[in-house]
Amino acid sequence: MDNIIQGIAIYALPVIFAITLHEAAHGYVAKYFGDLTAEMAGRITLNPLRHIDPVGTILLPLMMFVTSKLLMGSGLLFGWAKPVPVNFGRLRQPKKDMLWVAIAGPGANLLMAFFWAALIKLGMGMPDSIYTRPMMLMGIAGIEINVVLMVLNLLPLPPLDGGRIAVSLLPNKFAWKFAQIEPYGFTILLVLFVSGILSVVLWPLITFTKQMIVTLFGLYI
């Protein structure tokens, strides 16, 4: 039980900020390209309380972490925040600008992974204390969570960010047809997850990205 409580304490901040800053980034970039919907809804903010979904940001990640810790000895996490409202029709060039709005979320996760890597690097250079080990463990959790969210969201399946990126890049005729998948996107994602196909596809990309960050920052974790 102590390990579970310690794990929750270590993962709490990385999870909350990974999910909420991802959404805030969508809103900020949408505003830059002309859509003020997120700003009017008060969603362009770094305040996590404005983005937290009680189920997706707190309850589900907590249940998954505790259950996986008890059953497998390692914590697994997945979650979501309240989606930031974006009206793509209000963007100055809707199809073109959709690309940048969509890529903003995964981009924010990559930057946060770099931040947590830098925190680990800082901890490696500090004398051992009661603070350095929790700080480094939190950094490791931050890298893992942000890389998983980034890679998952780049999956080319609407309504994930990767799906919207694909719609933006495809010729109009194919983009329209591809966008019709969106109502079934989460069902497809669930089937891929349950069947194990999702992990087969994503895990090599997650491992590669984590290794790239570790190498870039010269970490030993």
Side-chain angles (χ1 to χ4, degrees):
M1 183 59 71
D2 288 344
N3 287 338
I4 292 176
I5 294 173
Q6 290 171 4
I8 292 172
I10 289 168
Y11 275 86
L13 280 180
V15 168
I16 289 172
F17 283 106
I19 295 173
T20 58
L21 294 184
H22 176 108
E23 294 298 336
H26 286 311
Y28 178 81
V29 175
K31 176 187 176 183
Y32 179 83
F33 285 104
D35 176 29
L36 302 181
T37 306
E39 182 180 47
M40 290 187 292
R43 298 294 302 280
I44 304 180
T45 174
L46 298 182
N47 179 4
L49 296 178
R50 299 291 299 173
H51 303 286
I52 286 176
D53 179 289
V55 175
T57 316
I58 299 175
L59 184 60
L60 179 63
L62 182 61
M63 290 176 61
M64 286 188 67
F65 182 84
V66 172
T67 303
S68 61
K69 197 79 171 175
L70 290 173
L71 297 179
M72 297 181 292
S74 60
L76 298 176
L77 284 169
F78 177 72
W80 61 85
K82 292 187 293 186
V84 163
V86 176
N87 186 336
F88 292 104
R90 292 183 177 179
L91 299 172
R92 285 189 287 273
Q93 301 181 71
K95 189 170 183 294
K96 180 181 177 181
D97 296 342
M98 180 192 300
L99 170 69
W100 302 109
V101 175
I103 209 169
N109 288 128
L110 181 60
L111 290 177
M112 280 186 281
F114 287 165
F115 166 79
W116 291 112
L119 190 68
I120 296 173
K121 189 70 173 180
L122 177 64
M124 289 170 60
M126 296 172 61
D128 287 336
S129 71
I130 60 172
Y131 303 107
T132 53
R133 178 166 173 75
M135 182 174 74
M136 293 178 68
L137 289 174
M138 188 175 290
I140 293 171
I143 293 175
E144 292 178 349
I145 292 161
N146 281 286
V147 168
V148 168
L149 285 177
M150 180 186 74
V151 173
L152 175 63
N153 276 283
L154 286 175
L155 190 71
L157 177 67
L160 297 177
D161 298 325
R164 299 200 188 281
I165 292 170
V167 169
S168 176
L169 295 175
L170 286 170
N172 287 337
K173 181 173 72 171
F174 298 109
W176 182 83
K177 290 182 179 179
F178 188 67
Q180 304 309 303
I181 299 173
E182 182 162 339
Y184 316 102
F186 282 118
T187 301
I188 295 171
L189 188 66
L190 182 61
V191 171
L192 292 174
F193 175 75
V194 172
S195 66
I197 296 174
L198 189 64
S199 61
V200 171
V201 172
L202 296 185
W203 197 249
L205 298 173
I206 291 169
T207 302
F208 172 80
T209 306
K210 285 167 60 178
Q211 187 57 50
M212 180 194 70
I213 294 171
V214 167
T215 302
L216 181 64
F217 282 83
L219 306 180
Y220 303 96
I221 56 177

